[in-house]
Amino acid sequence: MTAHPSTNAFDVIVIGSGMGGMTTAAALSRLDHKVLLLEQAPAIGGLTHSFSRNGFSWDVGLHYCGTFGHDQPAGRILDWLSGGTIEFHSVGTVYDTLHFPDEFEISVGRPADAYKMELKDRFPDNVAEIDAYFEALLSAEEACHMVGAERVIPEPFRSAHHWWNKRKIQRWCGRTTDEVISELVSNPKLASVLSAQWGTYGGKPKEASFAFHATVMGHYLEGAGYPVGGAAAIAKGLVPVIEAAGGSARAQTSVSEIVIEDDQAVGVKTRTGEVFRAPRIVSAIGAAETVKHLLPEAIREHDWAQEITTFKPSLCHFDLFLGFEGEIARHGATRSNHWFYENWDTSDAIWMPAEDGSIPMMFVSFASLKDPSHDPGPANKYSGDLLVWADWPSVSEVAARGDDEWAAFKQSVESKMMAHFEKQFPDLAPLVVYRELGTPLATVSFTGHDKGAFYGVETTPRRILSDAFNARTPVPGLFLSGQDVMSPGIAGALAGGMFSAAAIDPRVLQHLR
C-alpha cells in the first residue's frame, strides 16, 4: 500500500493511550504542545477503559489506586493534568482482605500504623521484625524513586546521581522480595502475609525486585481510592485537555512503524498507510512491543534495543466479569478487595488450567460498591470480577488447537472460576445473572502486549537496574512512556508518563514534586 502523508502537523505523536500515553499527552498539552494520541483499540484508555453489557459496566484493568487523593502525590499530578475533573473516592478504611488456609484472614487498611498494629496483634512474637519490614519499605521506595529519576536525568548528571546513590539502589533494587523479607522476617506465615499482594505489580516474590514491591505497597499505606464513574473517567478527563491544546486523540488507528530518517524518529505510519510527522515520537505501547514491532531492523540491532528484547513478558490472566442483581452488600460483597490463597506459598499462585489443577489464588473485586456515583436502578444491578493469574504456554497451546477446543477450554475455565467463587461467597453467587470471561488472548488483541502481559515486562532486579528503559532512547526524537519506564500498575504508568513528558519538556518536572 502506498503511504500518503497527512496534512496534520503536530509537535509530539504518542502511540498508545493507556495511563502512560494519556499522561504524557496531557502533560505536554498542558504546556501548549500540540499532541496526536493514537490508539489501535476501539476505545481510548488502554487498560483503564471500561465496557458495558446488559446494563452492567466493568473496568478491564483498574481495581484501586493509592496516593490519588487530592492532597497526595498522584492526585496532585492528576489534578494538574485534568484541571481537577477526575475524582478518586476512598475505598474505605480496609482496602484488601487476605485469606489463607485454616481460616486465617487479615484486613489490610489505613492508616499504616493501624495495619502495623493489626499485624503485631496477629504475630506478637515478631513485633520488631514487622517494624523492620515497614522501615525497609520506605527505604526501598526511595531507592526506586531514585532509579525513576535517572530515567529522565540527562548525562553527566545521571551518572553522578547513580554513583552517589548506588549503594542504596543496589541494596533494595538488586534483591528480590523473597530475599529481603526472608532476611527480615523469621515467621513463614508472616512472610506470606507481607508478600501476598504481589498481584498488584505482577512479580512473584521469588522473582520481583523488592523495590517494586515497596513502591507499590508503599503507595497504598495511607489508603486506596477508586475513580468516581469508573476507570473510563480518566480518559474522559484527559482527552479534552489534549484537544483544547489543538491536539487529537484517535482510536482505531493502528501504527505499523515508527518512521526513521537519518537515524532519528520523525513520524509514524499507520496500517492504512497514513503518515503523521512530528519532531518527537513517544511509544507507550510497551518497550518490548516498540522494539519488536515498530522499529526498523537497523535500530533493533542497537545494544539498548537488543537488551529490551531479552526481558520476558510479565504475567497473563483470566478475568471473569460478573453482573449481579440484588443487594450484594447484604450477601457478602464489600468495597475491600479479597485475595484467596489455597496455600501459604504466595509464589505458588499461577493457575495451570490446561492441567486441570485447582485455582491457587483468586482476586475478587466489586467495583460498583467502590463507585459512589453507581446507580443500581430498580433491578439492583452491580458489577464485580474474579481474576486469576495463568500460565501462558498452556493457554496458547490450547488456542492453537482450533476454535472448538478453545471454546470448550474457555467454558471449562469459566466454570471452574465460578465454582471457586461460589465456595468463597455461597450467599452471593445466586445473585449472578450475567458473566463474561476475559482471556489472555483478549489482552493480546486489545493491547498488543506479547503473551498477554498485564504489567509490561518482567519485574526482576535486572529490569529495574537496566538502562534500556530510560524515557529518552538513544534514537534522537524517540521516547518511551508508561509502566516499563517506571514501575508496574496505574500509578507506575502515570509516573512513567510524566517522566517521558519531562524528557521532552523539563518544565513538567515542577509538577512531579
Side-chain angles (χ1 to χ4, degrees):
M1 181 179 294
T2 302
H4 50 90
S6 168
T7 56
N8 296 57
F10 297 94
D11 301 316
V12 182
I13 297 172
V14 178
I15 310 164
S17 72
M19 192 72 219
M22 287 193 295
T23 296
T24 300
L28 293 173
S29 297
R30 277 290 178 201
L31 299 175
D32 298 321
H33 294 272
K34 187 177 180 182
V35 181
L36 174 62
L37 178 64
L38 301 176
E39 171 58 56
Q40 61 101 18
I44 297 293
L47 288 173
T48 67
H49 93 283
S50 303
F51 71 99
S52 299
R53 302 276 195 274
N54 297 1
F56 299 101
S57 294
W58 299 270
D59 303 325
V60 298
L62 188 155
H63 295 96
Y64 58 158
C65 297
T67 72
F68 274 78
H70 292 296
D71 60 343
Q72 296 176 306
R76 288 193 291 269
I77 291 173
L78 206 58
D79 282 346
W80 173 65
L81 293 175
S82 70
T85 62
I86 302 170
E87 180 81 20
F88 272 72
H89 183 75
S90 173
V91 171
T93 301
V94 176
Y95 51 85
D96 273 333
T97 304
L98 311 179
H99 305 262
F100 286 95
D102 306 318
E103 299 184 351
F104 182 95
E105 177 181 309
I106 189 167
S107 298
V108 184
R110 62 174 170 89
D113 286 342
Y115 179 43
K116 282 193 278 188
M117 288 178 62
E118 174 72 9
L119 286 169
K120 291 174 181 179
D121 285 344
R122 305 296 289 275
F123 299 95
D125 295 333
N126 306 95
V127 169
E129 295 177 350
I130 291 168
D131 285 334
Y133 167 78
F134 279 92
E135 289 172 5
L137 275 190
L138 296 177
S139 187
E141 186 177 12
E142 290 176 357
C144 191
H145 290 162
M146 290 173 181
V147 172
E150 291 176 4
R151 298 281 193 252
V152 68
I153 296 174
E155 292 290 4
F157 306 106
R158 179 190 170 282
S159 294
H161 179 276
H162 188 81
W163 178 86
W164 186 259
N165 296 291
K166 62 182 179 181
R167 182 172 297 179
K168 184 170 186 174
I169 289 173
Q170 187 60 42
R171 180 184 183 190
W172 300 118
C173 300
R175 294 189 293 164
T176 67
T177 303
D178 183 69
E179 286 172 337
V180 173
I181 292 180
S182 295
E183 177 186 280
L184 299 174
V185 175
S186 60
N187 186 317
K189 290 186 177 181
L190 173 59
S192 294
V193 168
L194 297 177
S195 65
Q197 296 152 281
W198 67 261
T200 53
Y201 55 90
K204 291 189 288 187
K206 293 178 181 178
E207 299 176 1
S209 166
F210 181 71
F212 282 140
H213 173 84
T215 299
V216 178
M217 293 301 98
H219 101 298
Y220 285 121
L221 287 181
E222 295 307 318
Y226 180 82
V228 177
I234 297 174
K236 290 178 182 177
L238 297 183
V239 168
V241 174
I242 298 166
E243 295 173 338
S248 177
R250 303 187 185 186
Q252 294 185 300
T253 307
S254 181
V255 172
S256 60
E257 66 180 272
I258 293 171
V259 179
I260 305 291
E261 294 177 358
D262 296 326
D263 295 324
Q264 64 182 19
V266 297
V268 302
K269 180 181 177 181
T270 70
R271 296 199 183 280
T272 60
E274 196 169 12
V275 174
F276 297 95
R277 300 179 71 87
R280 289 167 289 274
I281 309 300
V282 179
S283 179
I285 68 169
E289 287 74 17
T290 301
V291 171
K292 294 176 182 178
H293 305 305
L294 298 185
L295 294 180
E297 184 176 355
I299 301 298
R300 292 200 302 269
E301 293 176 354
H302 290 187
D303 289 346
W304 70 276
Q306 286 289 305
E307 183 174 348
I308 284 175
T309 64
T310 67
F311 288 92
K312 298 181 297 183
S314 62
L315 299 171
C316 66
H317 73 296
F318 286 98
D319 205 337
L320 185 56
F321 301 100
L322 302 180
F324 302 88
E325 287 186 357
E327 294 289 350
I328 63 173
R330 294 182 180 178
H331 294 81
T334 64
R335 287 189 292 170
S336 166
N337 306 302
H338 295 266
W339 303 75
F340 292 97
Y341 279 92
E342 292 301 294
N343 63 66
W344 284 92
D345 181 1
T346 54
S347 283
D348 181 24
I350 310 301
W351 188 31
M352 305 289 201
E355 299 178 7
D356 204 30
S358 62
I359 296 174
M361 193 288 296
M362 176 178 281
F363 175 86
V364 180
S365 175
F366 304 97
S368 296
L369 294 183
K370 303 173 190 176
D371 183 2
S373 71
H374 175 70
D375 180 7
N380 278 324
K381 288 180 176 285
Y382 294 89
S383 63
D385 71 298
L386 324 175
L387 185 150
V388 297
W389 301 119
D391 172 62
W392 172 260
S394 65
V395 171
S396 59
E397 180 182 332
V398 176
R401 296 175 191 164
D403 292 343
D404 290 344
E405 283 211 38
W406 177 245
F409 177 69
K410 286 202 304 179
Q411 184 58 54
S412 173
V413 168
E414 181 177 320
S415 297
K416 290 174 182 176
M417 290 180 66
M418 192 63 199
H420 199 69
F421 175 71
E422 289 174 356
K423 183 175 71 172
Q424 310 299 346
F425 292 94
D427 296 333
L428 191 57
L431 301 184
V432 175
V433 298
Y434 180 88
R435 64 195 200 195
E436 180 173 333
L437 182 67
T439 72
L441 268 62
T443 303
V444 173
S445 176
F446 187 85
T447 67
H449 288 175
D450 189 23
K451 300 182 179 180
F454 198 55
Y455 286 115
V457 298
E458 63 186 65
T459 55
T460 57
R462 187 171 76 93
R463 175 262 175 98
I464 194 173
L465 295 173
S466 171
D467 292 334
F469 298 99
N470 291 339
R472 183 190 300 274
T473 77
V475 179
L478 178 61
F479 302 81
L480 298 177
S481 178
Q483 57 184 351
D484 284 349
V485 172
M486 181 55 190
S487 58
I490 300 297
L494 174 81
M498 288 293 283
F499 287 148
S500 182
I504 293 171
D505 189 333
R507 291 179 296 170
V508 172
L509 290 171
Q510 64 184 308
H511 299 283
L512 276 167
R513 297 172 183 171

